[in-house]
């Protein structure tokens, strides 16, 4: 029976999982050549390039949805292995205040402005979550809960990618203009920039010592994905239906991964391997999200979406900067 099952499923698995994993591997390789972009952004760009070319209509490539969603959710869960609870505590009370206040201000402010602009609730929720927590990974984490349309997912991912990529350069430059210390600039970058990979890139521009602190602050924001998912599941009308679990399985797995990392049970060698695998899984998921960004579906970009994305970015950057200047 097992042999029969393997015979049935192996071709399907290879056909659906191979393209995103190959793209993720290529992104990891290319990121060593252009480290400023990072493997997640490169993977997303590969997905955009593929879907907007003739390759995008090939059945072996076009049939990616279920596979890339699973890979991305596994990557989100595995992010917890990068986040020992002690690292969050080591940021100190002021750092934790910067994280919590920035997330709260960005999420609630984006919701308020989005509704005033007349945008659909699902799209507003995706942008609010992605811009306040961790970009495309957060969008993927809540898209089912808020019953978002695929076009709205693509719009939110495009916006968080465009604006977060711009902040890679803008935040380090402004930090120098304002006269922030490397520590202050690192906290600001981690608290304001949207994607994990974008924070790593910005931290490297600030200074070698800033990368670890910026990533710790950013992963502190990532940790808020779990409680936010609980809130959305309880407050979003019709979220996932009455029989759906309150919290998605991969969010539960994320919390479990944080506990495992905090326990110290895994040796450093294993953590090094899981770190690469986590990046590979997230990159494969980013490729899938990129495959959802079809130029003909997005252009012209709605002015209201551009306005909301701009305001959301300004809230995140402005709130975190004010708190960094006041508390650190």
């Amino acid at each position: 029976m097992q042999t029969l099952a393997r015979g049935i499923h192996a071709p399907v698995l290879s056909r659906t999982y191979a393209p995103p994993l190959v793209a993720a591997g290529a992104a990891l390789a290319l990121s060593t050549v252009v480290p400023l972009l990072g493997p997640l952004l490169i993977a997303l760009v590969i997905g955009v390039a593929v879907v907007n070319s003739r390759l995008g209509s090939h059945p072996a490539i076009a049939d990616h949805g279920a596979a890339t969603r699973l890979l991305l959710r596994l990557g989100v869960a595995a992010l917890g292995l990068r986040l020992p609870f002690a690292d969050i505590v080591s940021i100190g009370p002021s750092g934790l205040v910067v994280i919590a206040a920035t997330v709260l201000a960005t999420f609630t402010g984006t919701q308020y402005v989005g509704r005033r602009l007349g945008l659909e609730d699902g799209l507003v929720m995706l942008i609010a979550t992605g811009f306040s927590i961790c970009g495309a990974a957060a969008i993927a984490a809540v898209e089912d809960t808020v019953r978002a349309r695929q076009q709205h997912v693509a719009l939110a991912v495009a916006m968080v990618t465009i604006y977060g990529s711009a902040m890679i350069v803008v935040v380090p430059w402004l930090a120098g203009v304002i006269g922030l210390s490397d520590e202050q600039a690192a906290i600001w970058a981690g608290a304001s920039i949207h994607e994990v990979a974008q924070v790593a890139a910005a931290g490297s521009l600030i200074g070698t010592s800033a990368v670890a602190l910026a990533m710790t602050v950013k992963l502190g924001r990532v940790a808020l994905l779990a409680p936010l998912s609980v809130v959305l599941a309880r407050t979003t009308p019709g979220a996932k239906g009455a029989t759906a679990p309150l919290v998605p399985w991969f969010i539960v797995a994320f919390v479990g991964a944080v506990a495992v990392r905090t326990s110290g049970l895994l040796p450093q060698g294993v953590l090094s391997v899981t770190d690469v695998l986590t990046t590979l899984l997230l990159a494969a998921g980013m490729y899938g999200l990129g495959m959802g960004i079809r130029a003909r579906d997005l252009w012209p970009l709605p002015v209201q979406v551009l306005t909301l994305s701009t305001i959301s970015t300004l809230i995140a950057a402005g709130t975190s900067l004010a708190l960094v200047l006041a508390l650190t």
Side-chain angles (χ1 to χ4, degrees):
M1 182 65 70
Q2 291 179 349
T3 302
L4 177 61
R6 284 195 295 269
I8 293 173
H9 295 295
V12 175
L13 291 174
S14 63
R15 185 173 66 248
T16 57
Y17 287 89
L21 289 173
V22 168
L28 262 67
L30 287 172
S31 68
T32 63
V33 180
V34 274
L36 181 62
L37 297 180
L40 303 191
L41 290 181
I42 293 174
L44 190 139
V45 170
I46 292 174
V48 173
V50 168
V51 79
N52 288 286
S53 69
R54 293 182 179 179
L55 287 173
S57 60
H58 193 286
I61 294 176
D63 186 20
H64 67 88
T68 53
R69 280 195 296 271
L70 175 60
L71 292 170
L72 183 54
R73 282 155 174 71
L74 288 172
V76 171
L79 271 176
L81 292 175
R82 296 180 176 178
L83 188 61
F85 187 71
D87 280 7
I88 301 178
V89 175
S90 70
I91 299 172
S94 59
L96 294 176
V97 169
V98 173
I99 292 170
T102 300
V103 168
L104 180 61
T106 305
F107 185 77
T108 57
T110 302
Q111 283 188 301
Y112 174 79
V113 173
R115 287 166 182 163
R116 297 281 290 183
L117 289 171
L119 293 170
E120 291 186 31
D121 286 345
L123 176 58
V124 172
M125 198 70 71
L126 291 177
I127 293 176
T129 304
F131 279 56
S132 63
I133 302 290
C134 57
I139 291 169
V142 302
E143 63 172 295
D144 290 337
T145 299
V146 302
R147 293 183 173 274
R149 291 193 289 157
Q150 191 58 43
Q151 185 180 10
H152 287 169
V153 175
L155 266 174
V157 169
M159 291 298 96
V160 83
T161 301
I162 292 168
Y163 280 83
S165 297
M167 292 177 76
I168 292 174
V169 177
V170 172
V171 168
W173 173 72
L174 277 179
V177 171
I178 296 169
L180 299 182
S181 66
D182 284 357
E183 178 182 352
Q184 289 176 314
I187 295 174
W188 185 29
S192 63
I193 298 177
H194 309 322
E195 291 277 3
V196 173
Q198 293 163 349
V199 170
S204 66
L205 293 180
I206 296 168
T208 305
S209 61
V211 176
L213 178 57
M215 287 296 289
T216 300
V217 173
K218 178 60 182 177
L219 291 174
R221 288 169 65 193
V222 173
L224 296 178
L225 181 59
L228 179 61
S229 295
V230 174
V231 172
L232 291 181
R234 287 180 171 175
T235 59
T236 302
K240 296 277 288 179
T243 60
L246 180 61
V247 182
W249 64 266
F250 56 93
I251 300 300
V252 176
F254 170 86
V255 175
V258 172
V260 170
R261 177 62 191 270
T262 303
S263 71
L265 294 174
L266 298 180
Q268 187 57 48
V270 173
L271 290 174
S272 298
V273 173
T274 60
D275 190 63
V276 174
L277 290 175
T278 298
T279 302
L280 184 70
L281 290 168
L282 289 173
M286 292 299 108
Y287 164 82
L289 290 173
M291 288 283 288
I293 303 177
R294 296 179 181 271
R296 64 175 183 267
D297 295 334
L298 298 179
W299 191 261
L301 287 171
V303 174
Q304 297 96 323
V305 174
L306 288 171
T307 301
L308 179 60
S309 299
T310 301
I311 293 174
S312 184
T313 298
L314 291 175
I315 292 173
T319 301
S320 54
L321 177 60
L323 290 170
V324 165
L325 290 173
L327 300 176
T328 62

